[in-house]
Amino acid sequence: MRSSILTSALTHCVLVFITSVPLVNAEASEPTTADLPPVLLQMIRDDAVHKDLELTSDQKRSLFGVVKGIDAQWFPQLNLMTTGNTKPEPYQKTVADLTAKLQRELKSILNSSQFDRLMQLRRQALGTRMVLLDDVREGLELTSSQIQRFADAFAKTESESRRIAAKLKKQELEAGEAARQVAKLQQTERETVVGALTDTQRGRLGSLTGPAFDFSQVRRKLPFAPEIQDAGVTWIQGEPVRLADLRGKVVVVHFYAFQCINCIRNLPHYTAWYSDYADDDLVVLGIQRPETSAERDGDKVASAAKREGIRYPILLDLESSNWNAWGNRIWPSVYLIDKDGFLRRSWYGEMNWQGNEGEKDMRSTLEMLLAEDG
């Protein structure tokens, strides 16, 4: 299904924020660790966290080797979840399984002090939801009545967050107001959780969370970009590209179909980026994943690219090997990849749909990534 997805720059950010709220089953007697957001998967890739943990160069290399394998499984499911193409339960299971796997691997990479500190950071990042962790429940000696009170609070936050997201999608609510309502929900949840703890339990929180960490420093929360797949691929123009060979450059990858009107309206933006930032070593790559029979014809794809003035490399993804590796389900979609190969931003649908300023916002992110040290 082709998409003219809703997003303005602020709306996109707020939607990402809302959907990061853990998915709590309001009908369950109590939430579980499967309801937790993937904060450990997110934070483990960031330089600020590595600095706090005082990782060595060898530890970082080992860490990234593990992370790449995990990301190959995480990102397709994350993308499907973000675009509403999978149910919460499979995604929650994937996150829980990968988080457990990551923790096992980290125990062989980090020393005990580093691992303990990382667990403190995880608890900090979870905020009130840290009470879902078994070690926190045990450390605070939470009662069943407290746990039920937390479950009710989390379920209410989730229900209200979904309502806000639905109104935002229908444009019944402005992005700024949605953000304020979400912030109010979170504040209410914090007050409920803290108010339910005894003085003794509040006193124990410090040892569980450790010194405060400034999470505003964290830039990288998304996975490594999947490598370009070869199966069923025909390069329509330009030389074959591998993302691993492009470290030190910022990369734009966009999925499109040449007969898709939403895609056609985005193409001039990619061409402008390619032209405007050529001196900054920006790389743009188009992946044409066909929907119609005409879009499976390499000659027609090439003719359309020439007609649109596309000069950057394009591949025809006939067997959907790249489409599936990315968990992509929407035409058009565009992804921004930083100099170290991490995904930093995505946009689904027309960037300037109905007067939105998505291109301007994405361009701003591009300039930020180009300015960063590799």
Side-chain angles (χ1 to χ4, degrees):
M1 178 179 180
R2 303 198 193 273
S3 171
S4 54
I5 284 187
L6 46 112
T7 36
S8 69
L10 282 175
T11 301
H12 179 80
C13 292
V14 172
L15 279 174
V16 170
F17 182 57
I18 289 174
T19 54
S20 71
V21 175
L23 299 166
V24 176
N25 184 348
E27 298 180 357
S29 59
E30 66 179 63
T32 70
T33 53
D35 299 312
L36 292 172
V39 295
L40 188 60
L41 299 182
Q42 293 171 323
M43 73 170 68
I44 197 61
R45 62 201 67 247
D46 193 80
D47 292 339
V49 173
H50 301 165
K51 183 177 180 180
D52 188 274
L53 297 178
E54 298 182 344
L55 298 187
T56 66
S57 297
D58 287 343
Q59 285 178 314
K60 290 180 184 179
R61 279 192 291 271
S62 298
L63 172 63
F64 284 143
V66 170
V67 167
K68 286 181 180 178
I70 284 175
D71 286 356
Q73 300 175 65
W74 178 36
F75 180 62
Q77 291 298 314
L78 174 63
N79 217 8
L80 290 171
M81 184 67 192
T82 302
T83 55
N85 286 285
T86 189
K87 294 182 179 180
E89 291 77 11
Y91 177 67
Q92 289 172 310
K93 186 177 188 308
T94 295
V95 167
D97 290 347
L98 292 178
T99 297
K101 179 180 179 180
L102 177 60
Q103 285 187 259
R104 290 194 299 271
E105 297 284 355
L106 288 173
K107 285 185 176 180
S108 66
I109 295 173
L110 308 180
N111 62 43
S112 59
S113 296
Q114 291 170 324
F115 186 82
D116 289 345
R117 175 56 177 163
L118 181 61
M119 293 302 100
Q120 290 179 338
L121 296 182
R122 184 191 184 196
R123 295 174 195 128
Q124 288 186 37
L126 287 171
T128 54
R129 306 299 171 98
M130 78 171 76
V131 297
L132 298 181
L133 296 172
D134 291 338
D135 56 356
V136 173
R137 292 188 184 193
E138 293 171 4
L140 295 181
E141 297 181 339
L142 297 177
T143 66
S144 58
S145 62
Q146 286 177 313
I147 292 170
Q148 185 57 57
R149 186 172 176 181
F150 300 152
D152 293 342
F154 299 157
K156 183 177 180 179
T157 299
E158 172 63 16
S159 175
E160 289 298 302
S161 294
R162 289 184 185 279
R163 182 186 62 79
I164 293 169
K167 293 183 72 173
L168 192 61
K169 288 181 180 180
K170 293 177 182 178
Q171 298 184 338
E172 297 175 355
L173 193 65
E174 293 184 355
E177 177 59 25
R180 284 189 288 275
Q181 290 187 21
V182 169
K184 185 176 179 179
L185 284 174
Q186 291 186 321
Q187 178 60 31
T188 299
E189 181 178 297
R190 282 193 294 271
E191 292 173 353
T192 299
V193 171
V194 173
L197 298 176
T198 66
D199 290 341
T200 299
Q201 289 170 329
R202 293 190 199 105
R204 293 176 184 173
L205 281 175
S207 61
L208 291 171
T209 57
F213 179 79
D214 180 7
F215 283 93
S216 68
Q217 304 174 77
V218 176
R219 301 180 303 173
R220 295 184 178 127
K221 301 178 183 178
L222 295 174
F224 272 110
E227 186 53 86
I228 300 303
Q229 306 296 303
D230 296 324
V233 163
T234 300
W235 287 88
I236 299 298
Q237 63 183 37
E239 295 297 319
V241 172
R242 291 192 60 79
L243 297 183
D245 297 331
L246 299 176
R247 297 294 185 262
K249 301 178 185 293
V250 175
V251 182
V252 175
V253 173
H254 75 86
F255 286 84
Y256 79 111
F258 78 80
Q259 292 182 316
C260 163
I261 185 60
N262 310 114
C263 300
I264 291 170
R265 290 172 181 160
N266 268 2
L267 291 177
H269 303 315
Y270 311 142
T271 297
W273 297 346
Y274 179 76
S275 175
D276 294 348
Y277 302 113
D279 292 341
D280 297 311
D281 288 333
L282 177 71
V283 176
V284 180
L285 171 63
I287 300 179
Q288 214 268 186
R289 191 275 192 178
E291 182 181 31
T292 68
S293 58
E295 291 164 352
R296 300 185 65 83
D297 187 320
D299 291 337
K300 291 181 179 179
V301 175
S303 295
K306 184 176 181 180
R307 183 171 63 249
E308 297 293 339
I310 297 174
R311 294 180 289 120
Y312 49 80
I314 292 174
L315 66 84
L316 177 56
D317 195 25
L318 278 174
E319 295 181 7
S320 301
S321 58
N322 288 282
W323 180 266
N324 291 331
W326 290 65
N328 209 78
R329 291 297 180 269
I330 292 171
W331 297 271
S333 296
V334 57
Y335 303 88
L336 308 185
I337 304 168
D338 71 16
K339 295 176 182 179
D340 290 322
F342 288 97
L343 289 159
R344 297 287 291 278
R345 188 74 188 275
S346 60
W347 197 282
Y348 308 97
E350 289 183 38
M351 286 183 283
N352 288 352
W353 174 252
Q354 294 186 339
N356 292 327
E357 295 186 331
E359 189 279 335
K360 180 180 178 181
D361 192 47
M362 292 289 276
R363 181 181 284 261
S364 177
T365 301
L366 267 180
E367 292 176 349
M368 178 188 73
L369 297 181
L370 288 166
E372 289 180 353
D373 294 330

